[in-house]
Amino acid sequence: MHHSDAPAIREIPVGDEGAGPYGIAAGPDGALWITLVHSGRIARLALDGELVEYPLDSPECRPMIITPGPDGALWFARSQDHRIGRVTVDGETESFPVPTPGSGPFGITAGPDEAMWFTEMNTDRIGRITGTGEVTEFALPHAGAFPSAITAGPDGALWFTLNQANAIGRITVHGDIVTHPLPTAGAAPVGITSDGTALWFVEIAAGQIGRISVEGEIKEFPLPDRAAKPHAIVAASTGECWFTEWGANRVGRITESGEIAEYSLPSPSSEPHGLTLGPDGALWVALETGGVARVER
């Protein structure tokens, strides 16, 4: 269903069309931090609109998902040069190589163990990196699984999507792995989030939102537009999540009862990807065509 009374949405440019805002996270400094995937930069956007960009040591490194770490810095995956990046709120950057060649890190999240956990799309591994850059890798039980997004679950484990294995995975901080196949074939899950009770994820190929309990029970909710290509998802509260529809130029909201509302973004074909809850209580969305959208909730 669609809500008739759409929220106020404002778009803010953060780079030219070729820069490619992709991931976005709220930093501990009260600003939004954005990966510019095509220009190899990290941008900091203050709530008053002040924008600062920090170039990385490789313009072709393709920074993807970004998230705050337990050390007060922002951590991000660099998929093209297979490194994990770190930027302080003062803009100091460093990066650490992933041991397995050609790993293609993509998703990253803070774990319950004071370390960062990330996915390796190309090499079927989950990685753990300490604040000093020490990396441990855990092999998945599937070949060609294409692990994508990852998040800390309410049960003290890490949960992740297996895009090509069509499953949701769970790994403990000790490296024990379990996978849960999805009911819908070829659903291709990507984004995942925790609402504090369960995990929510998007199925980009099936046009559905999924929910999985920590016991592994899965429910799927079809979108009104099954070709919308949902991409990323974030929990606003227990039983309420927001998600991007990359293929339909919209953001959506879903509740635990399965009620769905969708809202069109102002600029056509803006390619919404990552999203986060801002320090101002609004939803912020990275638009790969060169901006971010602020959505009143």
Side-chain angles (χ1 to χ4, degrees):
M1 77 170 54
H2 293 258
H3 283 176
S4 54
D5 109 7
I9 301 176
R10 176 168 58 98
E11 291 183 359
I12 303 163
V14 295
D16 60 37
E17 191 169 336
Y22 189 88
I24 186 168
D29 57 344
L32 286 309
W33 289 79
I34 304 151
T35 58
L36 301 179
V37 64
H38 300 307
S39 64
R41 292 171 176 258
I42 302 295
R44 179 189 184 273
L45 177 65
L47 294 181
D48 63 5
E50 180 187 10
L51 180 70
V52 181
E53 289 187 19
Y54 301 104
L56 300 174
D57 52 3
S58 168
E60 292 81 33
C61 68
R62 288 185 67 84
M64 306 297 286
I65 293 178
I66 186 168
T67 193
D71 58 350
L74 288 300
W75 291 73
F76 52 95
R78 297 170 37 154
S79 67
Q80 189 67 29
D81 65 353
H82 318 295
R83 302 176 75 89
I84 300 300
R86 178 182 181 271
V87 59
T88 69
V89 294
D90 298 320
E92 298 177 6
T93 63
E94 60 182 327
S95 67
F96 308 94
V98 178
T100 301
S103 58
F106 177 77
I108 189 166
T109 191
D113 56 351
E114 298 298 307
M116 305 300 295
W117 290 73
F118 59 94
T119 60
E120 301 180 23
M121 293 184 295
N122 302 340
T123 52
D124 299 313
R125 287 171 165 83
I126 301 297
R128 176 187 185 271
I129 184 169
T130 67
T132 56
E134 181 182 351
V135 177
T136 307
E137 297 174 289
F138 303 93
L140 296 172
H142 303 280
F146 210 73
S148 299
I150 187 169
T151 193
D155 57 348
L158 291 303
W159 291 74
F160 51 93
T161 53
L162 295 172
N163 180 264
Q164 292 302 296
N166 207 53
I168 303 300
R170 176 185 184 272
I171 183 170
T172 69
V173 294
H174 305 296
D176 300 316
I177 298 169
V178 176
T179 60
H180 302 277
L182 297 182
T184 300
V190 183
I192 190 168
T193 189
S194 168
D195 69 357
T197 299
L199 292 305
W200 292 78
F201 55 94
V202 297
E203 300 178 1
I204 194 169
Q208 298 185 138
I209 307 298
R211 179 185 185 273
I212 182 169
S213 71
V214 294
E215 293 80 25
E217 180 186 356
I218 297 173
K219 294 182 181 178
E220 294 173 309
F221 304 93
L223 296 175
D225 176 7
R226 299 294 290 275
K229 297 189 184 303
H231 183 271
I233 188 165
V234 66
S237 61
T238 302
E240 179 195 0
C241 295
W242 288 76
F243 54 93
T244 51
E245 295 185 0
W246 173 69
N249 202 51
R250 292 189 291 251
V251 293
R253 175 183 175 272
I254 186 169
T255 65
E256 191 168 355
S257 63
E259 181 184 3
I260 295 170
E262 298 166 302
Y263 308 105
S264 295
L265 294 166
S267 295
S269 303
S270 60
E271 297 189 41
H273 285 297
L275 74 172
T276 191
L277 295 181
D280 56 352
L283 183 77
W284 291 78
V285 185
L287 310 174
E288 197 171 347
T289 52
V292 298
R294 182 185 183 276
V295 182
E296 291 277 3
R297 296 194 299 117

